[in-house]
Each structure stands twice: as C-alpha cells, then as structure tokens.
C-alpha cells in the first residue's frame, strides 16, 4: 500500500473546512488508495472547534486517514506538506474597504507563503481558496519565492467553482448533460469580473456556442449569473457557498494530482501566455497529466473576449498594486 501524503488545510474550523476535510479523508481528492495525514491550521480561538471536527473525523473511521494534527502555528501545519489548501482568510467586516481587506489578507498570506516555502515538501502543490484568492495566491507565491525551495508555478488560486457553475448553466440552457461538456474555460479573477468563455465548449462533438446561438443570453444572462452566483447563494442561504466551494477545491487538486482528460480552469501564475503579465494569478484553461499542469496554448481570442479578459486583468492589476508595498 502507498505511503501517506500530508495535506495541510487552513481555516479548518470554518464552513468550507467542514465540507472539505471529510471528502479528503475519504479519498475523493487523491484517490481511494492514497492514505492521508491531515494537518489542520486555524486561529487560536478556533482550536476547540477544530478538535470537534477531528472528533467527527475519528468517528467516520476512514480507512485512508492515517493521522491528524491541529495547530495555530503555520510552521507546524505546513511541515512536510505535499498539498496545502489555504481556505482560512480574513472576511470583509462591516465598513471594511477593499484595500483594507487586501492588506489584512496580505499579512496572512505573506506569513503562510513563507512558512510553506520553509517547511513543506519541495514539490508542494498549493491552492488558495480564501478570498481574494487570486491575489492571496500571488502574495503567498511572492513570499515563497523569497525563500526558494518550492516551485513558484505551484501556487494556485481557485477558479474551479466558477468553471463548475458555468458548466451547469450551459447544460441547462443547451439541454445537454453536464458530463458531456468539454473545453470550458473561465479567464481571470475569481470575482464578478471573471470571463466564463464557452466558445470552445463542445458536447459530444457539437459546438455549445452554435447550439445556444444567443449572444444576448451570453452577455446579459449567462455571464452575470455565473459572476454573481456567490452573492445569490448568500442571499438565499444566509451563508456563503461552502459545499460547492469545497467540491471545487477537491476537483482542482484531484485533477492536478491525478490528471484530467478535459480542460480544467485553474488560477495559475501567468507565464506570459495570452499577454497576461508574468506572475499574475489568472484563470486559464489547463490540462493536467502526471501531477503537472500546462496552460492550453494558441486559442483564438476575438474582440469581445479581448475586452472581457482585459477587464478582469485590470482588476487583478489593481489588486496587485494595492499589495505591492507589502511584498518589498
Ligand atoms: P468561515 O468564516 O466559515 O471559516 C474561515 C475559517 O478560517 C475560520 O475558522 C477562521 O478562524 C479561519 N481563519 C481565519 N484566518 C485564519 C488564518 N490566518 N489562519 C488560519 N485560519 C484562519 O469561512 P468559509 O465559508 O469557510 O470561507 C473561507 C474562505 O473561502 C473565505 O475567504 C471565502 O471568501 C472563500 N471562498 C472562496 C471561494 C472561491 O471560489 N475561491 C468560494 C467560497 C468562499 O466564498
């Protein structure tokens, strides 16, 4: 049988943690033959709640759960970690400006990026879920680069929830099954500015764009529905998306680790592809194989798409400018 791998999860006492940890421990993320050790980070005041979650994990008697650690120290949480899911973040409080949110999170993610680079496995794969997730991933990566050791390409932000939201909207509109849809992509920031692009999307070889053939629906219904889905969930549930966010994190990590036969949207540090400045953590279409990901190259970007991509990039550039001083 395989040796256990170490999976660090931050914000372990939160809502997403409560959906995520049980699925990781049951083997849905890394495979039904891969034992895992969970290394759970949360704030000091949340340690009691983390203990409660660990009691429930114990009570599942998961065959693949080879150990658990709870801590409020990032150096302990990330020690020898093979996978890090950074879920915990500073939520936007009443009267908090966007810039305050960016700097509050900047402080968290500089510490965590450094702690990962100093303590984790050299091949660690990092996924930031906590918002603003693209810029938080950018910050963690920048802090990690100062340390060295880990691979700067392996600091990702989560766009997969947007990708999955888009797939279901398209399936419902086209009458095709979600499982038949291939080659979806969401460009840019995990925010309402993201550009869910189904120009390349197919269902059993048929073009979804041709099947739907409705530009007004794309612009006036589809994009706003996907972009504002998080707000719609809060409005309906009184709480932000949690199970679907945990599901997307599982999907992202599973495909990255085990491979995928379809395109998947990942927020990855740009290598300059499609004119996105190097290092900006941006939603791109990717393929995954043997534990590696690659940005799909050579897709045609039409005028409408150019405008959408420029718009979401502009927002990310503004976020990057707002945290630049912290990364000096
Ligand atoms: P909760 O408030 O339920 O849980 C957050 C947990 O993180 C708490 O237990 C808190 O104590 C902990 N925490 C805060 N700061 C920490 C730190 N410095 N180190 C370790 N733990 C820390 O939030 P939840 O609903 O679980 O959401 C977590 C994050 O995911 C939020 O930032 C949220 O905005 C973000 N989301 C991201 C999504 C995405 O698609 N990328 C979608 C869902 C979600 O909105």
């Amino acid at each position: 049988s395989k040796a256990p791998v170490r999976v660090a999860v931050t914000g372990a006492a939160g809502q997403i943690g409560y959906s995520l940890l049980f699925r990781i421990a049951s083997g849905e993320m890394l495979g039904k033959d891969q034992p895992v050790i969970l290394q759970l980070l949360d704030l000091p005041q949340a340690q009691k709640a983390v203990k409660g979650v660990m009691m429930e994990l114990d009570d599942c008697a998961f065959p693949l759960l080879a150990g658990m650690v709870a801590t409020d120290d990032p150096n302990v949480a990330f020690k020898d970690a093979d996978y890090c899911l950074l879920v915990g973040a500073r939520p936007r409080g009443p009267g908090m400006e966007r810039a305050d949110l960016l700097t509050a999170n900047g402080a968290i993610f500089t510490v965590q990026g450094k702690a990962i680079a100093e303590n984790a496995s050299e091949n660690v794969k990092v996924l930031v879920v906590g918002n603003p997730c693209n810029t938080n991933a950018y910050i963690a990566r920048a802090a990690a680069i100062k340390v060295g050791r880990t691979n700067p390409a392996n600091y990702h932000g989560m766009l997969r929830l947007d990708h999955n939201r888009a797939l279901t909207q398209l399936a419902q509109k086209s009458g095709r099954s979600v499982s038949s849809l291939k080659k979806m992509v969401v460009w840019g920031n995990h925010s309402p500015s993201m550009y869910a692009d189904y120009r390349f999307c197919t269902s059993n070889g048929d073009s979804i764009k041709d099947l739907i053939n409705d530009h007004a629906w794309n612009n006036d219904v589809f994009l706003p529905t996907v972009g504002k889905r998080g707000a719609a969930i809060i409005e309906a549930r009184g709480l932000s998306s949690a199970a679907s966010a945990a599901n997307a994190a599982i999907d992202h990590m599973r495909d990255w680790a085990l491979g995928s036969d379809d395109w998947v949207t990942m927020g990855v540090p740009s290598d300059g592809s499609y004119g996105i400045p190097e290092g900006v953590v941006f939603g791109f279409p990717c393929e995954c194989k043997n534990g590696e990901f690659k940005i799909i190259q050579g897709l045609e970007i039409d005028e409408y798409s150019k405008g959408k991509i420029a718009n979401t990039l502009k927002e990310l550039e503004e976020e990057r400018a707002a945290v630049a001083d912290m990364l000096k």
Side-chain angles (χ1 to χ4, degrees):
S1 65
K2 290 186 176 176
V5 295
R6 294 178 180 273
V7 181
V9 178
T10 77
Q15 315 188 71
I16 294 176
Y18 196 69
S19 288
L20 183 60
L21 294 170
F22 297 85
R23 297 187 61 189
I24 298 173
S26 75
E28 288 179 64
M29 187 170 88
L30 298 171
K32 295 285 183 185
D33 59 346
Q34 177 59 67
V36 294
I37 297 171
L38 291 175
Q39 306 192 153
L40 308 178
L41 181 74
D42 210 306
L43 299 174
Q45 62 270 26
Q47 291 301 306
K48 186 173 169 221
V50 175
K51 295 282 164 17
V53 176
M54 289 168 77
M55 288 160 69
E56 287 205 70
L57 283 159
D58 272 335
D59 295 348
C60 295
F62 287 121
L64 293 171
L65 185 55
M68 286 187 269
V69 178
T71 180
D72 58 11
D73 180 351
N75 293 312
V76 174
F78 299 132
K79 187 75 194 151
D80 299 326
D82 302 291
Y83 301 87
C84 297
L85 293 102
L86 308 186
V87 179
R90 179 75 186 274
R92 193 169 190 154
M96 203 171 176
E97 296 295 328
R98 190 177 175 81
D100 301 333
L101 183 74
L102 283 163
T103 43
N105 279 297
I108 295 171
F109 287 88
T110 45
V111 169
Q112 294 189 358
K114 179 168 183 281
I116 290 169
E118 287 176 346
N119 295 284
S121 149
E122 285 184 23
N123 294 319
V124 66
K125 291 176 163 63
V126 181
L127 176 64
V128 179
V129 175
N131 281 321
C133 68
N134 296 55
T135 295
N136 289 342
Y138 172 82
I139 293 168
R141 175 180 182 268
I145 286 172
K146 287 188 191 165
V147 177
R149 277 188 77 244
T150 61
N151 182 351
N154 285 357
Y155 290 77
H156 293 185
M158 191 171 89
L159 268 289
R160 186 61 175 263
L161 181 53
D162 308 277
H163 178 104
N164 289 346
R165 284 167 171 167
L167 284 179
T168 296
Q169 295 303 316
L170 292 172
Q172 289 173 353
K173 176 73 176 174
S174 66
R176 298 293 178 98
S177 71
V178 155
S179 65
S180 75
L181 301 182
K182 304 282 177 221
K183 299 191 174 176
M184 180 63 205
V185 42
V186 181
W187 305 92
N189 199 6
H190 168 66
S191 89
S193 79
M194 56 92 236
Y195 172 43
D197 177 5
Y198 60 84
R199 293 176 302 134
F200 312 104
C201 193
T202 61
S203 163
N204 302 321
D206 301 325
S207 157
I208 283 290
K209 181 166 180 266
D210 291 350
L211 276 176
I212 292 176
N213 193 22
D214 188 343
H215 183 73
W217 178 80
N218 178 30
N219 193 73
D220 304 339
V221 180
F222 172 71
L223 288 175
T225 300
V226 178
K228 295 178 192 159
R229 188 69 164 181
I233 304 272
I234 293 175
E235 167 65 23
R237 218 170 75 86
L239 288 167
S240 57
S241 338
S244 55
N247 179 70
I250 297 271
D251 284 352
H252 182 123
M253 283 305 210
R254 184 200 55 228
D255 289 342
W256 191 2
L258 305 179
S260 158
D261 57 5
D262 185 17
W263 297 4
V264 289
T265 301
M266 298 172 124
V268 304
S270 179
D271 57 1
S273 294
Y274 299 97
I276 305 304
E278 200 266 323
V280 172
V281 176
F282 200 83
F284 283 110
C286 294
E287 33 187 17
C288 301
K289 214 179 176 175
N290 303 325
E292 310 276 335
F293 72 94
K294 240 175 35 199
I295 298 172
I296 308 274
Q297 297 296 324
L299 299 177
E300 192 213 316
I301 308 298
D302 60 20
E303 282 308 310
Y304 177 81
S305 303
K306 257 185 208 153
K308 291 287 179 193
I309 289 173
N311 182 51
T312 190
L313 174 61
K314 178 168 170 279
E315 184 180 55
L316 280 169
E317 299 260 45
E318 285 165 9
E319 292 183 14
R320 185 164 70 152
V323 299
D325 279 348
M326 308 186 71
L327 300 175
K328 281 191 183 134

